C-alpha cells in the first residue's frame, strides 16, 4: 500500500520537526540559563488605576447586595463595618479603621465616573530611541521650580527625555492617621470624643528625592497624634508609550509584582504633557509674559498611571503552540485519508452506487465532501483555541501563538511538498503507461499504476487541505492586523450594526461568485480544446490511421492562453469587491474623532465583517470542492481496479462523468480559494489607512462606482460565453453533431469511414471522426 508508506514517512518527519522545535524553543525562549543574549520572554500588561478603583466600587456593592440577601436586610442597612467583617471583602485587605473609606466607595457611582482608559498596546520607553516622537514632547521642567537652580534660570518646559530619563519616578503607599482631639462641652456645644481617621492613599508619581522632601515637609506640619508615613519601599514607575494615529500617548506603569490592586485606594497624581516640542511651549510662555496677544495653547495630555502585570512565559508554551500546529497537521491528514482514500468507507460507498448512474455518485460524494469540510473547520478551531489557553497574559501574545500554530503546521512543508509532487508524478506515470501501448494485457501492471494514481489523488487532496488550513491561519493574523490599521481594535465589530452584518453577507457570498467564475472558465476552455481535437481528427485522417501526428502545440497554446485570459475576471473580483464594500458603506456616514483626528470608520467596519464572512465561507467551500473532486476521482479508480464491472462498464462510464465534474472542483476552484482569502485580506490591510480617511461623498461615490463597474466587468467576463453557446457555434461549423442527431459522448465522437492510401499504394477503409 503506497499510502501506508507515505503516511509513515509523514509521521516520522513530523516527529523530527517537533523534536527540533522543542530544542529551539528551549534555547531561544528562555529555557536555558537566562543571560543578556538569551533573556526569558516576559509579557507586560497595563491596567489603569481608575479600573482598580471602579472594580473596588463594584466589588463592594456586590458584597453589600449578597450580605443584604443573606441577612434579609435592605442594602442601605448594611454598614461599612459589616462589609469589612464579611468574607466577601477579606481579599481586599480592609481594616476596621477603613470604615470611612469603604463608606465613601459605597457612595461613589461607577457609572458616572470617567471611562476607563484603554491601556492595551503600551510598550516601555527606550530613552535611546531617537525615532520615538514622544521623547521630544514638552513637559514642565521640575528644575524651574527648584530654588537651588534659580541662578541658572532653567526653561519652563523641557523634553520628556530630559525630564524622565534623569532620576527614578516612584509612587508611594502612604499610611495616614488624622486625630481630632476630644472637645469638652462649652458655650452650648455638646462634648465630642476624640475622633481618629485612618486611611491608605497613593502619592505620586514623583521623583524619589521630591517624594522625600514632600514627606519631610508634611511630617513637620502634623499635629500631635497624626501620622503621615510611607509604608514599605516606594513603587518604581516606568514610562510607557503607545502610538495612536499622529499622537503618542504616555503612561506610568507600576510593577504589579510589588503592589496589590487593593493597595490602590485613591487615584495617583497624573502628570501632563504637550504633544509639541519644548521650544514651542517656551515660546508661548515668552509671548504670554510679554503682554502681547495670547497665543493658542495646545491641549494638555495626561500621563495615565497604571499597574503593570509582568509575567514570565515558560519556554515550553511556545513549543506546545507549535505542537498543536503539528496536531492539526495530523488531523488534516487523518480526515483527508478517511474521506478520499480508496481504502475507506466514503469512496467505497460512492463507487458502490455507480451501477445506478452518475447522479447517485454525485449526490453521495457531495454529501461526504460537505461533512469533511465541517470537521476540517472543527480541527482548525481547536488548534487556534490553543494559543488562548497557552498565552492568556496578553492579547498580542495570543496572536503570536496563532502564528506559532501556523508555523507548526508548516514544519512538515518539505514532506508535504513531496506528497504534492507525488500526485502529478503518479498521474503522469499512468498516462505514459496507457499511451505506451505496452503491457495492456498485464493486469498486474495496470492495477499497479492505477493504485499509484489513486494514492496520488489522496496526497494531492491532503496537500490542498494543508494549503487551506494555512490560508485560514494566515487570514486570522492578517485580520487582526487589519483591525489595528483601521483603528477598530478597541471598537470591535458588532454584528448588530447593519453595515457590519451586510458586509458579512457580501463576504460570505464572495467565494461562491469566485468559484462560479473559475468553474465557468474551465468549462469554456475545455470545450474549446474539445473542438480543436475534433477539428484535427476531421481534417487529418492520418491521425487515426497512425500515419501522422496530432498538432499538440495548438492544444497547448489554447490551454495556456485560456489560463491567462480567464484569470482577469477572478483577479478583478478579488481586488474590486473589498474596495467597493469599504468605500460604498462610507458614503454619508458620520466621522469619528480619535486623538483629535477625524476618521470615517463605517466602511472599515463593514469591510471587517466582509473579511470574516469570506474567511469562513471560503474555507468551507475550498475543502468541499477539493475533497469532492478527490472522492469522485478515486471512486473511478476503484471501478477501474475491477470492481462493479471494471473498465468499459456502465459503472465506469458513470465514474468518468463524476471525475469530469470533479476535476474543475479539485484542480481549479478549490485551490484557487486559498489565494483569494489571502489577497482580499492583504488588499484590506494595505489600503486600510486610505479607507478610513474622511473623504467627501463625491470622492466616495466616484471610487465606489469605479469599483462596482470593475465588478460588473468581472462578472460579464466570466459569463461572456458558455458551453451551450460553444456547442451551437461548433454545430454551425460542423464541429459537433447537429441538433436532433443521436447523442454521442464527448470521448466517443461521431464516426465515419473514409478511404486512406498509404505511400505504397495500398488502400483501406479507416473509421475516423
Amino acid at each position: 500500500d503506497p499510502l501506508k508508506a507515505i503516511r509513515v514517512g509523514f509521521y516520522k518527519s513530523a516527529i523530527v520537526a517537533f523534536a527540533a522545535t522543542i530544542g529551539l524553543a528551549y534555547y531561544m525562549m528562555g529555557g536555558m540559563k537566562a543571560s543578556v543574549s538569551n533573556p526569558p520572554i516576559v509579557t507586560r500588561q497595563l491596567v489603569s488605576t481608575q479600573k482598580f478603583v471602579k472594580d473596588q466600587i463594584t466589588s463592594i456593592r456586590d458584597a453589600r447586595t449578597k450580605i443584604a440577601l443573606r441577612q434579609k436586610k435592605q442594602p442601605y442597612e448594611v454598614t461599612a463595618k459589616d462589609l469589612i467583617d464579611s468574607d466577601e471583602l477579606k481579599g481586599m485587605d480592609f481594616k476596621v479603621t477603613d470604615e470611612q473609606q469603604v463608606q465613601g466607595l459605597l457612595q461613589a457611582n461607577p457609572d458616572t465616573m470617567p471611562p476607563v482608559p484603554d491601556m492595551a498596546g503600551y510598550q516601555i520607553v527606550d530613552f535611546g530611541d531617537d525615532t520615538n516622537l514622544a521623547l521630544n514632547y514638552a513637559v514642565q521642567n521640575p528644575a524651574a521650580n527648584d530654588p537651588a537652580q534659580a541662578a541658572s534660570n532653567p526653561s519652563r518646559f523641557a523634553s520628556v527625555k530630559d525630564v524622565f530619563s534623569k532620576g527614578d519616578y516612584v509612587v508611594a503607599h502612604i499610611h495616614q492617621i488624622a486625630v481630632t482631639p476630644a472637645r469638652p462641652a462649652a458655650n452650648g456645644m455638646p462634648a465630642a470624643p476624640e475622633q481618629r481617621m485612618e486611611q491608605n492613599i497613593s502619592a505620586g508619581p514623583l521623583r524619589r528625592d521630591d517624594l522625600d522632601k514632600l514627606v519631610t515637609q508634611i511630617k513637620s506640619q502634623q499635629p500631635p497624634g497624626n501620622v503621615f508615613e510611607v509604608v514599605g519601599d516606594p513603587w518604581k514607575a516606568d514610562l510607557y508609550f503607545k502610538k495612536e494615529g499622529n499622537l503618542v500617548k504616555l503612561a506610568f506603569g507600576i510593577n504589579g509584582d510589588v503592589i496589590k490592586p487593593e493597595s490602590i485606594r485613591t487615584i495617583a497624581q497624573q502628570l501632563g504633557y504637550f504633544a509639541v516640542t519644548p521650544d514651542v511651549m517656551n515660546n508661548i510662555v515668552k509671548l504670554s509674559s510679554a503682554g502681547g496677544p495670547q497665543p493658542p495653547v495646545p491641549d494638555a495630555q495626561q500621563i495615565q498611571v497604571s499597574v503593570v502585570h509582568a509575567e514570565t512565559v515558560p519556554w515550553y508554551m511556545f513549543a506546545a503552540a507549535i505542537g498543536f500546529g503539528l496536531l492539526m497537521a495530523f488531523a488534516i491528514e487523518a480526515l483527508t485519508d478517511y474521506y478520499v482514500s480508496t481504502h475507506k468507507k466514503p469512496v467505497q460507498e460512492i463507487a458502490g452506487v455507480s451501477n445506478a448512474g452518475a447522479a447517485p455518485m454525485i449526490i453521495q460524494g457531495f454529501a461526504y465532501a460537505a461533512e469533511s469540510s465541517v470537521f476540517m473547520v472543527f480541527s482548525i478551531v481547536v488548534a487556534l483555541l490553543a494559543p488562548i489557553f497557552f498565552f492568556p497574559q496578553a492579547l498580542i501574545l495570543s496572536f503570536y501563538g496563532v502564528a506559532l500554530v501556523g508555523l507548526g503546521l508548516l514544519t512538515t512543508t518539505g514532506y508535504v511538498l513531496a506528497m504534492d509532487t507525488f500526485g502529478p508524478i503518479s498521474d503522469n506515470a499512468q498516462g505514459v503507461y496507457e499511451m505506451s501501448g505496452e503491457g495492456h494485457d498485464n493486469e498486474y501492471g495496470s492495477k499497479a499504476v492505477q493504485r499509484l494514481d489513486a494514492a496520488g489523488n489522496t496526497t494531492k487532496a491532503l496537500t490542498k487541505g494543508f494549503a487551506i488550513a494555512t490560508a485560514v491561519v494566515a487570514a486570522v493574523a492578517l485580520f487582526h492586523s487589519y483591525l489595528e490599521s483601521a483603528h477598530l481594535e478597541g471598537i470591535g465589530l458588532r454584528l448588530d450594526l447593519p453595515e457590519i452584518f451586510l458586509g458579512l453577507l457580501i463576504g460570505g457570498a464572495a467565494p461562491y461568485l469566485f468559484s462560479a467564475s473559475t468553474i465557468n472558465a474551465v468549462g469554456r476552455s475545455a470545450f474549446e480544446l474539445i473542438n480543436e481535437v475534433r477539428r484535427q481528427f476531421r481534417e487529418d485522417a492520418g491521425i487515426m490511421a497512425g500515419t501522422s501526428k496530432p498538432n499538440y502545440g495548438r492544444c497547448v497554446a489554447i490551454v495556456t492562453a485560456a489560463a491567462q485570459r480567464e484569470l482577469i475576471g477572478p483577479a478583478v473580483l478579488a481586488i474590486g469587491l473589498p474596495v467597493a464594500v469599504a468605500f460604498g458603506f462610507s458614503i454619508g456616514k458620520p466621522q469619528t474623532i480619535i486623538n483629535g483626528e477625524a476618521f470615517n470608520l463605517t466602511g472599515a467596519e463593514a469591510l471587517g465583517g466582509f473579511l470574516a464572512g469570506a474567511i469562513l465561507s471560503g474555507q468551507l467551500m475550498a475543502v468541499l470542492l477539493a475533497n469532492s473532486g478527490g472522492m469522485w476521482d478515486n471512486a473511478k479508480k476503484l471501478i477501474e481496479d475491477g470492481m462493479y464491472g471494471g473498465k468499459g462498464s456502465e459503472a465506469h462510464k458513470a465514474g468518468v462523468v463524476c471525475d469530469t465534474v470533479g476535476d474543475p472542483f479539485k484542480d481549479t476552484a478549490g485551490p484557487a480559494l486559498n489565494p483569494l482569502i489571502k489577497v482580499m485580506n492583504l488588499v484590506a490591510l494595505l489600503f486600510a489607512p486610505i479607507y478610513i480617511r474622511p473623504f467627501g461623498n463625491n470622492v466616495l461615490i466616484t471610487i465606489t462606482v469605479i469599483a462596482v463597474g470593475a465588478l460588473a466587468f468581472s462578472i460579464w467576463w466570466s459569463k461572456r460565453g458558455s458551453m451551450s453557446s460553444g456547442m451551437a457555434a461548433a454545430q454551425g461549423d460542423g464541429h459537433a453533431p447537429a441538433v436532433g442527431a443521436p447523442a454521442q459522448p464527448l470521448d466517443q465522437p461521431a464516426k465515419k469511414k473514409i478511404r486512406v492510401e498509404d505511400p505504397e499504394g495500398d488502400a483501406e477503409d479507416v473509421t475516423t471522426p
Side-chain angles (χ1 to χ4, degrees):
D1 181 7
L3 272 180
K4 183 177 181 180
I6 293 172
R7 192 181 303 114
V8 170
F10 174 72
Y11 291 157
K12 287 181 178 179
S13 69
I15 292 172
V16 171
F18 188 53
T21 296
I22 293 176
L24 286 174
Y26 180 75
Y27 174 73
M28 300 180 65
M29 299 299 179
M32 299 181 68
K33 186 176 180 180
S35 63
V36 176
S37 60
N38 186 36
I41 304 299
V42 179
T43 62
R44 293 180 176 88
Q45 187 172 7
L46 274 62
V47 181
S48 68
T49 53
Q50 292 95 317
K51 184 178 186 308
F52 284 132
V53 174
K54 277 194 172 184
D55 289 347
Q56 284 183 352
I57 296 172
T58 303
S59 298
I60 291 173
R61 288 188 162 204
D62 292 343
R64 181 178 64 174
T65 302
K66 292 178 182 178
I67 295 171
L69 290 173
R70 187 168 62 244
Q71 297 181 358
K72 297 181 180 180
K73 295 181 179 179
Q74 293 296 324
Y76 65 85
E77 296 177 320
V78 178
T79 65
K81 186 178 184 305
D82 294 335
L83 287 166
I84 292 174
D85 294 338
S86 68
D87 293 334
E88 284 80 3
L89 294 190
K90 274 188 177 180
M92 298 185 68
D93 197 28
F94 282 113
K95 300 180 178 60
V96 177
T97 54
D98 293 330
E99 287 186 30
Q100 197 168 7
Q101 187 172 353
V102 171
Q103 189 63 39
L105 290 171
L106 271 175
Q107 294 173 355
N109 185 358
D111 297 330
T112 60
M113 296 176 68
V116 174
D118 179 19
M119 305 305 296
Y122 277 88
Q123 305 174 48
I124 195 165
V125 170
D126 178 9
F127 289 103
D129 182 10
D130 294 332
T131 62
N132 192 341
L133 298 177
L135 297 182
N136 293 320
Y137 284 171
V139 293
Q140 290 202 8
N141 189 359
N145 299 323
D146 189 351
Q149 303 185 42
S152 61
N153 192 20
S155 300
R156 177 80 174 275
F157 289 92
S159 68
V160 168
K161 181 177 182 179
D162 291 338
V163 172
F164 294 115
S165 64
K166 298 175 181 177
D168 289 341
Y169 274 75
V170 295
V171 173
H173 185 193
I174 306 294
H175 180 60
Q176 184 175 11
I177 299 175
V179 178
T180 304
R183 185 183 69 241
N187 300 325
M189 298 292 293
E194 177 184 278
Q195 294 184 353
R196 180 185 178 90
M197 185 185 72
E198 184 174 354
Q199 64 177 348
N200 296 308
I201 63 173
S202 300
L206 293 168
R207 289 191 300 180
R208 190 179 292 269
D209 53 353
D210 290 341
L211 175 65
D212 295 338
K213 294 176 183 177
L214 176 65
V215 172
T216 301
Q217 179 184 357
I218 294 179
K219 278 187 175 181
S220 64
Q221 299 171 352
Q222 293 296 313
N226 284 17
V227 174
F228 188 89
E229 61 182 0
V230 176
V231 179
D233 292 330
W235 307 312
K236 188 175 183 298
D238 294 314
L239 194 63
Y240 288 75
F241 78 99
K242 176 175 71 171
K243 187 175 181 181
E244 287 191 357
N246 296 325
L247 177 68
V248 180
K249 301 184 72 173
L250 295 173
F252 275 116
I254 310 168
N255 190 351
D257 292 338
V258 297
I259 181 176
K260 297 180 180 179
E262 56 270 14
S263 299
I264 300 292
R265 299 302 191 204
T266 58
I267 297 176
Q269 167 188 345
Q270 291 184 343
L271 303 178
Y273 67 97
F274 297 89
V276 293
T277 63
D279 292 339
V280 173
M281 293 304 300
N282 287 324
N283 189 46
I284 291 175
V285 172
K286 289 180 181 178
L287 292 175
S288 299
S289 60
Q294 183 69 30
V297 180
D299 293 335
Q301 307 292 329
Q302 295 294 324
I303 304 180
Q304 298 290 339
V305 179
S306 58
V307 175
V308 181
H309 289 297
E311 189 169 348
T312 301
V313 185
W315 67 270
Y316 50 82
M317 290 297 185
F318 300 95
I322 297 176
F324 256 82
L326 281 170
L327 290 178
M328 183 167 68
F330 290 155
I332 293 171
E333 190 275 334
L335 285 170
T336 306
D337 180 69
Y338 175 75
Y339 283 102
V340 181
S341 173
T342 56
H343 295 22
K344 298 298 190 296
K345 180 180 177 181
V347 170
Q348 292 174 353
E349 286 197 356
I350 294 171
V353 298
S354 57
N355 283 320
M361 294 181 70
I362 292 176
I363 292 172
Q364 191 79 60
F366 192 88
Y368 273 122
E371 180 182 292
S372 70
S373 187
V374 172
F375 286 115
M376 186 73 79
V377 168
F378 289 164
S379 67
I380 294 175
V381 169
V382 170
L384 294 185
L385 278 174
I388 299 176
F389 294 101
F390 291 150
F391 306 110
Q393 297 91 345
L395 178 64
I396 188 64
L397 200 57
S398 296
F399 278 94
Y400 180 67
V402 170
L404 290 180
V405 171
L407 181 63
L409 184 62
L410 293 173
T411 51
T412 56
T413 298
Y415 202 85
V416 169
L417 289 175
M419 288 191 291
D420 195 26
T421 308
F422 174 79
I425 291 175
S426 59
D427 196 350
N428 285 346
Q430 185 192 24
V432 171
Y433 178 84
E434 290 180 351
M435 290 188 295
S436 68
E438 299 294 333
H440 284 190
D441 296 332
N442 185 345
E443 183 180 357
Y444 178 80
S446 297
K447 287 188 176 182
V449 294
Q450 288 168 9
R451 289 175 181 175
L452 281 175
D453 191 15
N457 288 334
T458 304
T459 60
K460 284 191 292 184
L462 173 59
T463 54
K464 292 182 179 71
F466 274 102
I468 294 163
T470 55
V472 173
V473 172
V476 170
L478 289 173
F479 185 69
H480 177 67
S481 299
Y482 167 74
L483 294 181
E484 287 184 339
S485 299
H487 296 286
L488 299 177
E489 189 178 18
I491 300 175
L493 298 175
R494 293 175 48 191
L495 291 181
D496 59 335
L497 296 179
E499 293 84 1
I500 297 177
F501 191 79
L502 294 176
L504 182 72
L505 294 179
I506 297 173
Y512 288 82
L513 182 59
F514 182 86
S515 299
S517 177
T518 52
I519 293 173
N520 274 333
V522 171
R524 282 193 302 271
S525 305
F527 204 83
E528 188 178 352
L529 185 62
I530 291 171
N531 284 337
E532 171 61 22
V533 172
R534 285 177 169 172
R535 183 193 65 78
Q536 292 191 30
F537 277 133
R538 186 181 65 253
E539 297 178 358
D540 187 356
I543 297 175
M544 290 297 294
T547 58
S548 62
K549 290 184 177 181
N551 185 356
Y552 297 115
R554 174 61 183 160
C555 296
V556 173
I558 289 174
V559 175
T560 303
Q564 296 172 346
R565 181 176 62 249
E566 298 293 350
L567 182 64
I568 297 175
V572 172
L573 171 66
I575 298 174
L577 197 52
V579 173
V581 169
F583 286 103
F585 281 95
S586 296
I587 298 173
K589 300 302 180 182
Q591 298 177 3
T592 302
I593 305 300
I594 301 177
N595 298 325
E597 191 173 0
F599 297 100
N600 190 340
L601 299 181
T602 305
E605 291 175 321
L607 184 57
F610 170 90
L611 295 177
I615 292 171
L616 175 60
S617 68
Q619 193 278 337
L620 291 168
M621 176 67 76
V623 176
L624 185 149
L625 294 175
N627 284 356
S628 61
M631 291 178 196
W632 289 323
D633 196 347
N634 274 355
K636 186 192 73 170
K637 298 298 179 190
L638 275 180
I639 298 171
E640 291 176 345
D641 202 29
M643 298 178 67
Y644 310 110
K647 280 189 175 183
S649 64
E650 292 300 318
H652 183 244
K653 292 178 182 179
V656 171
V657 172
C658 291
D659 188 24
T660 305
V661 174
D663 277 344
F665 283 18
K666 69 183 177 66
D667 294 330
T668 303
L673 286 171
N674 307 327
L676 172 72
I677 294 172
K678 294 178 182 177
V679 166
M680 289 195 299
N681 276 273
L682 283 173
V683 169
L685 177 60
L686 294 175
F687 288 92
I690 300 176
Y691 296 148
I692 61 179
R693 305 311 302 178
F695 296 110
N697 284 338
N698 292 334
V699 175
L700 295 174
I701 292 173
T702 302
I703 297 175
T704 303
V705 169
I706 294 173
V708 172
L711 290 173
F713 168 79
S714 169
I715 296 173
W716 170 82
W717 185 260
S718 68
K719 299 173 72 66
R720 68 191 184 283
S722 64
M723 286 187 283
S724 176
S725 60
M727 177 70 79
Q731 291 166 356
D733 294 340
H735 291 186
V739 177
Q744 299 286 342
L746 291 180
D747 57 344
Q748 297 180 6
K751 300 179 179 180
K752 61 182 180 179
K753 289 187 177 181
I754 62 173
R755 192 75 172 172
V756 177
E757 294 184 2
D758 61 19
E760 297 180 358
D762 296 331
E764 61 176 334
D765 291 334
V766 176
T767 302
T768 182

